[in-house]
Structure formats: structure tokens, C-alpha cells
Amino acid sequence: MNQTPQLLKVIKVLVADDSPLVLSNIKLLLREMGFVSENIFTAKDSKTIIKLLSEEAIELIICDYNFGDDLNGKQIFEEIEYLDLVPPWCTFIMLTGEKQIERVRSIVDLEPDEYIVKPYSVFLVKNRILRAFTRKMVLRDLYELGDSKDYDDIQRAFEFAEQTHPQYSSFLKRLQGSTYIKNGFVEEAKVLYEQSLNEQLTTWATCGFVSACLILGDYDNAAKYISLWDRYKFNRNPIMHECMAKLCLLKGQKENALIEIKSAYDKAQNMDRLQNFARVCELNGQYVKAHELFSQYRMMAQRTYRDSLMNHVPVIRNALLGIHELNEQSLRNIKQDMKRLKGHEEVLPELSEYLNLFDMHYDLNSGSHKLFRTKLNHTAKRFPSFSLEMQLYFAQLAFLGQQVDLCRSLLAKISVQPIDQMEFSYLVTRTQLKAMNEQCQAEMKRMDNVRQTWSALNEDNRIQGIEMAFTQYQERRQCPRMAVMMLKAMEFGFPVSLSAVSIRKLIFECEQVVRESFVFSRQERADFYQSANIVKNLYNDRLANTLLQHVRD
């Protein structure tokens, strides 16, 4: 790069470190390389970094990883990207004194343009800074292609770069593949990655090829190349594990998806991975672990662009899902989290509905079943206006409250989008919808088998039929179908273990459960009320006969 000395004189640099000594040393080193003092800016904390980047056209950032209690280098990098504070050709170099392999992997996973481990030699720092900066400046025009929608323009630009800068051949192919995908040319990206794999089995080409296959719905080829990678006994990197987790979700293999996303998180932690790990734990019913991970995400998101009142939602939801009996400590924790959300409904209207759902869930867990059913049926009218995540939670509450027919009808109303996006949250939601449908079908089948068994038993032995119906009803006291079966059984008699008062309570309880359900047809309701009248008359006759017998005695 013949013009490098002249270019260095006009480039603005930001050096970020909480150590004054390191800042002084790096500034001296940069001046020795040819950078001008007045173009070298320093920052000791994240606020100063964001402020300087907002005010100055910085094209080279040298940032420490550890800022004590402040945001770390990874979080700062994410903030810069999210706020779009620097151009795409800006060079980002990470400094780190971390020796733990997990931290080093985490930094490498971030994919800065370069990273330098402390302590370092002056020669090494100069060489790496210049190498990363030169490459970014030479290929500057290619980074500006991110907004281009013309395939021919992209292809010509990369062909020219390949001819003029063959030393960056591998890097160019990787950048070309990601540029294709960003602009929607996924098939072309897949071909490019496959050509690269035929030359050499590399991590970036394998991950790129698998990602392209997943977007295109070519799951067989995605699995094939992951297996090929495993066959050569290479260790999967975190991105490979994430691709495999997505593939498992697309195939409905939620348990395997959990294994893969956990492996990705264990190898290199970041905020997205933490959130996705929590989501898949919840998908697999590991609510205590999900609550722990979502709580960790909420804490780490503070003072970053990820900070939001909505971060409290999955924490509360999994706290409620993970407990069956509310003890005093769990009560205090849940109430405290819910209190944080109240008063902000005007800012985020969705919070109002979530608080309503949490109140319903709280009623269910505390045994207030009548209140739960009343709120459930009232809220169901607003179901079409809910977000997809909220619709699934509401349907889940219906299922947990033994309203299986309602759950099934709600799930049928959820529109399933075509698989044209590979966002992890969408894949988890899609898998959850499929799993809940399967749950409902299995429960409906179980109840059909119970009713068939009861019907056959009732024909042979009325007493045993009544006792079986009562046993099944006790297990599903909130289920309208079981309530109908219980009333039908009582047309032939009552459970021998119950007193007259308990029988009366049972009759009205069954009647109330069915009355508060709106999944029955008009004819089914008419049949039910006819059955209820028969049972009430039978009960009154029995009570009258008992009283008459007492009078005679």
C-alpha cells in the first residue's frame, strides 16, 4: 500500500483503555507508526467511547476488553454496531490481558479485525495494527457493497479485488459470501462456499455453506457437511453448534437443539447465545434453568442497547412456569418483578396484557381455578391482537389449566409464517407451536381413550364405571370433557365414598366448569344440560328418599 504513510496522517484513531499507562504507550506507538497526535483520541470508559464516535469520523479503534465494572469490549463492540457509529470499513482491534481459554474464545468469536494479547511486544502490535488496517483500507470499496442489490456489480467488484489483491484471496471469498447472503443472493453464496470447500475444508466455508443451506431449506446438505466436518474429528466451533441447533429446531428435535446451543454457549459466551440458550431451555421445559439464564441476560443487558422492560417478561414467565406451589420467597420475587412493570403500560402497551397473563398464571398456581377460568375466557376474546409469543403463552396457560379444547382452538388460529427466516427466536417459536400441537393431540387422544374405556366399563359394571369416572375427574378437575363424563356417569349413581354434601358440590362444580367453557357446540351444550338435569333430579330423589327413611325410623 504505497500511500499508507500519507493515509495514516489523516486517519482518526480511538484508543480505549481504563489504564492511563496503556493509553500513553499506545499513543506513542501510533505516533511512531505515522499517525498524527491531534487525530488520536482516547477514552477510559464506554460513555466517552460512544460520545467520541458520535462526534468524530473514526476509522481505527483499538479497544481493551476489560473495563472493570463498566461494559466489556464485546459489549462496546455490539453497542457501536447497533448504533451504527462507524463505517463498515472501520478497523476494530481488541486488546486483552485475559488468559482464560473461554474468554479468549469469546473474543475470537466476536471476529474483530485483529486481537492482541497482553503483554505484547512493540513490533507485534505495530505489525498487527498495520496489517489489519491496510487490509480494511485496501478493500474499503467492497464493504460499501453491503447496500448494493445488483448481483453483477457485486461479482465484478470482487473479481477485480481478487485480481489486484490476490494475497487476500481467502478473506475475499469469505466477504463475498456474506455480501451475497446480506443482499439475498443465497443460492450464489451456497455455490461459492461449496467451491471453497472443494478446495479446502475450512471453518468459515463450512459455516457459510450450512447457513445458506438452512435458509434455502436444503437440510440434507446442511447435515451432510456438518457430518463431514465431524468425520475429520474437527472440533465444532460455536457458530457450527448454532447452525446445528437451528437444523435441529427445523426438524423439531428440541432436545438435540438444547445440546447444541449449550455447547455453543459453553465454548464462547455472548448475549445472543445466552438469550437463545435460555429460550431453548424454556422450550424443553427446563424452566428453572431458563429463569436463571433470562435473569442473567436481564442483568447483563443493563446500560446497553438491549436494556428493556420487556427483559422482565421471560424472567417472570419462567418463574411462574417453574413452580407448582407458591412459597413465600417465590411470591415475593415474582411480585417484585411484576411491580417493576406496573406503571409503564403507556410506554409499552404490550406490558398490560402480559401483566394480565401473569395474574392469571398466578391464580392458577395458587389454586384459584374459578378466577383463572373467568379471566381465561374473558382474555381469549383479545387473542387475535396478541403478539406471536404472547399467543403461545396464552395457549400454554389454557393447556396448563386443563382447557385442552380451548388450547387446540387457539393454536389453530396462530398463523404460521413460511420458513424464510433463520432468526433463532422465530425457529424456537415455530418449534414450540409444533410441540404444543403435539401435546394437545396426545392429551385429546388420552381423553378419548379414557372415555371409551369408561363407556365399556360402565356397560358391564355401573359401580366401577362411576368410580373410574370420579378418579379420572379428580386428576382433571378443570377439564370440561372430564366434567361431562363425570356428570354422564352420575346418571347411573354417585361415588359411594362421597357424602350428600360432597355429591351436591361435585354436581355444581362439573356444571360450572362446562358452563365457563365455550368450546362446545350448541348441541353438545344441550346434551350436557339435559344430563345435568337428570343428575340433579336423581340427587333430589335420593335425598328425599333418605329424609323419608329418617322420618320412618
Side-chain angles (χ1 to χ4, degrees):
M1 187 174 176
N2 298 329
Q3 296 181 339
T4 298
Q6 291 76 20
L7 184 61
L8 297 183
K9 292 179 181 179
V10 298
I11 290 296
K12 292 185 177 181
V13 185
L14 172 61
V15 183
D17 199 300
D18 59 350
S19 167
L21 181 60
V22 172
L23 289 176
S24 178
N25 288 340
I26 296 294
K27 281 183 68 176
L28 178 61
L29 183 148
L30 289 170
R31 287 197 296 269
E32 290 175 355
M33 291 175 64
F35 292 94
V36 181
S37 293
E38 53 263 31
N39 288 336
I40 302 174
F41 302 87
T42 60
K44 295 180 181 180
D45 55 62
S46 60
K47 287 184 178 180
T48 309
I49 293 172
I50 301 302
K51 182 176 183 295
L52 283 169
L53 290 175
S54 302
E55 297 171 349
E56 303 290 341
I58 303 294
E59 294 183 276
L60 170 61
I61 300 173
I62 302 171
C63 182
D64 188 30
Y65 178 82
N66 197 334
F67 283 82
D69 295 334
D70 198 1
L71 305 182
N72 62 40
K74 285 184 65 175
Q75 291 173 311
I76 291 169
F77 181 85
E78 289 181 343
E79 290 292 303
I80 292 170
E81 280 200 328
Y82 178 78
L83 297 172
D84 197 22
L85 295 174
V86 294
W89 59 84
C90 177
T91 306
F92 190 94
I93 297 173
M94 185 79 76
L95 297 177
T96 177
E98 297 290 342
K99 296 295 190 298
Q100 293 181 346
I101 187 65
E102 292 81 7
R103 288 288 178 87
V104 175
R105 280 177 179 169
S106 185
I107 294 168
V108 174
D109 183 62
L110 184 64
E111 294 188 339
D113 296 296
E114 190 59 85
Y115 70 95
I116 301 169
V117 180
K118 302 175 184 178
Y120 43 74
S121 68
V122 173
F123 174 78
L124 180 143
V125 174
K126 288 182 176 180
N127 183 52
R128 289 199 174 178
I129 291 175
L130 192 59
R131 182 177 64 184
F133 176 73
T134 301
R135 185 182 65 218
K136 261 310 186 44
M137 288 298 105
V138 165
L139 305 178
R140 172 174 174 163
D141 291 344
L142 298 179
Y143 288 96
E144 294 182 295
L145 290 172
D147 297 329
S148 174
K149 297 298 180 184
D150 190 286
Y151 171 74
D152 291 333
D153 287 348
I154 297 173
Q155 188 179 33
R156 278 194 298 269
F158 276 96
E159 286 177 351
F160 179 76
E162 184 79 36
Q163 293 169 5
T164 53
H165 304 290
Q167 69 272 30
Y168 300 131
S169 178
S170 177
F171 182 84
L172 283 168
K173 288 178 182 176
R174 183 176 184 178
L175 181 59
Q176 186 175 3
S178 62
T179 304
Y180 278 159
I181 289 180
K182 187 175 181 180
N183 285 278
F185 305 117
V186 184
E187 191 66 56
E188 290 78 2
K190 178 185 172 185
V191 172
L192 183 145
Y193 287 129
E194 192 166 22
Q195 289 172 348
S196 299
L197 287 171
N198 290 334
E199 296 172 7
Q200 185 180 2
L201 190 63
T202 59
T203 304
W204 66 265
T206 305
C207 291
F209 180 80
V210 171
S211 296
C213 286
L214 292 179
I215 295 171
L216 294 169
D218 187 2
Y219 308 145
D220 291 338
N221 261 324
K224 173 186 172 183
Y225 272 86
I226 292 176
S227 298
L228 181 65
W229 183 269
D230 292 340
R231 192 184 311 156
Y232 285 94
K233 301 185 185 301
F234 296 128
N235 288 325
R236 293 183 190 174
N237 69 355
I239 297 175
M240 193 86 73
H241 282 295
E242 283 181 324
C243 288
M244 193 63 191
K246 287 181 177 181
L247 181 60
C248 291
L249 288 172
L250 286 163
K251 292 184 174 182
Q253 300 168 351
K254 60 181 183 178
E255 295 86 1
N256 292 337
L258 179 58
I259 294 171
E260 294 295 338
I261 193 61
K262 182 180 184 303
S263 297
Y265 181 74
D266 288 343
K267 288 184 178 180
Q269 299 179 6
N270 63 37
M271 292 291 283
D272 286 332
R273 218 162 271 150
L274 171 61
Q275 190 177 43
N276 292 335
F277 184 18
R279 286 167 172 157
V280 182
C281 282
E282 181 177 357
L283 175 65
N284 279 274
Q286 296 188 12
Y287 303 123
V288 175
K289 182 64 176 177
H291 176 264
E292 173 192 328
L293 295 172
F294 277 123
S295 298
Q296 185 180 344
Y297 178 88
R298 179 179 63 181
M299 180 188 68
M300 293 177 65
Q302 293 175 6
R303 295 180 296 135
T304 74
Y305 74 90
R306 298 172 184 268
D307 197 5
S308 167
L309 287 169
M310 293 303 292
N311 290 339
H312 296 290
V313 168
V315 175
I316 300 172
R317 183 175 65 235
N318 281 278
L320 289 164
L321 287 167
I323 53 177
H324 300 290
E325 293 183 4
L326 296 176
N327 55 56
E328 288 187 10
Q329 184 59 47
S330 63
L331 274 173
R332 283 195 296 268
N333 292 341
I334 292 170
K335 286 293 186 183
Q336 184 64 34
D337 277 334
M338 290 173 67
K339 189 177 179 181
R340 294 178 185 179
L341 298 183
K342 290 180 178 178
H344 298 282
E345 293 90 338
E346 290 185 7
V347 180
L348 287 170
E350 197 174 14
L351 287 179
S352 178
E353 289 292 5
Y354 266 119
L355 285 168
N356 179 44
L357 297 188
F358 293 151
D359 281 334
M360 286 167 50
H361 201 156
Y362 188 91
D363 292 336
L364 177 64
N365 282 359
S366 60
S368 302
H369 296 120
K370 181 180 178 181
L371 186 58
F372 167 77
R373 289 196 306 269
T374 301
K375 291 180 179 179
L376 185 75
N377 295 329
H378 179 71
T379 307
K381 300 171 185 177
R382 302 194 300 275
F383 182 80
S385 66
F386 290 173
S387 66
L388 179 58
E389 182 180 287
M390 197 183 297
Q391 285 180 332
L392 285 170
Y393 180 40
F394 184 71
Q396 187 177 20
L397 285 178
F399 186 86
L400 293 173
Q402 300 176 2
Q403 309 297 305
V404 184
D405 287 275
L406 174 59
C407 178
R408 186 174 63 170
S409 68
L410 292 172
L411 293 174
K413 294 176 183 178
I414 298 177
S415 59
V416 181
Q417 302 173 14
I419 310 172
D420 58 357
Q421 47 185 311
M422 288 296 109
E423 285 294 328
F424 214 97
S425 58
Y426 170 75
L427 294 177
V428 170
T429 301
R430 177 180 173 273
T431 307
Q432 184 182 3
L433 177 59
K434 181 182 177 183
M436 288 184 66
N437 271 306
E438 291 173 351
Q439 262 188 314
C440 276
Q441 290 172 6
E443 183 63 14
M444 292 295 290
K445 185 177 180 180
R446 191 196 76 82
M447 288 193 294
D448 285 341
N449 290 337
V450 167
R451 286 197 295 269
Q452 290 172 11
T453 304
W454 167 78
S455 182
L457 181 61
N458 198 51
E459 289 291 330
D460 296 334
N461 190 314
R462 303 288 192 195
I463 296 176
Q464 290 183 5
I466 293 168
E467 293 304 319
M468 177 192 170
F470 184 55
T471 300
Q472 292 297 325
Y473 176 72
Q474 285 181 307
E475 293 178 5
R476 295 284 189 277
R477 298 184 74 91
Q478 310 308 315
C479 176
R481 296 289 177 187
M482 291 296 103
V484 169
M485 187 179 79
M486 185 70 250
L487 274 173
K488 196 69 180 174
M490 287 191 290
E491 289 184 22
F492 305 99
F494 300 104
V496 294
S497 59
L498 296 184
S499 65
V501 174
S502 296
I503 292 172
R504 183 178 182 276
K505 183 180 178 182
L506 175 62
I507 294 169
F508 283 101
E509 186 179 271
C510 289
E511 193 173 22
Q512 187 179 56
V513 168
V514 176
R515 186 185 297 115
E516 292 174 354
S517 172
F518 53 84
V519 296
F520 294 111
S521 66
R522 182 177 296 179
Q523 184 58 51
E524 286 176 322
R525 284 189 175 277
D527 293 342
F528 164 75
Y529 287 123
Q530 183 180 1
S531 179
N533 287 331
I534 293 172
V535 172
K536 288 177 183 178
N537 290 333
L538 183 64
Y539 172 78
N540 289 334
D541 289 344
R542 175 176 170 176
L543 189 62
N545 290 334
T546 303
L547 290 173
L548 183 60
Q549 186 63 43
H550 280 308
V551 170
R552 288 175 178 175
D553 292 342

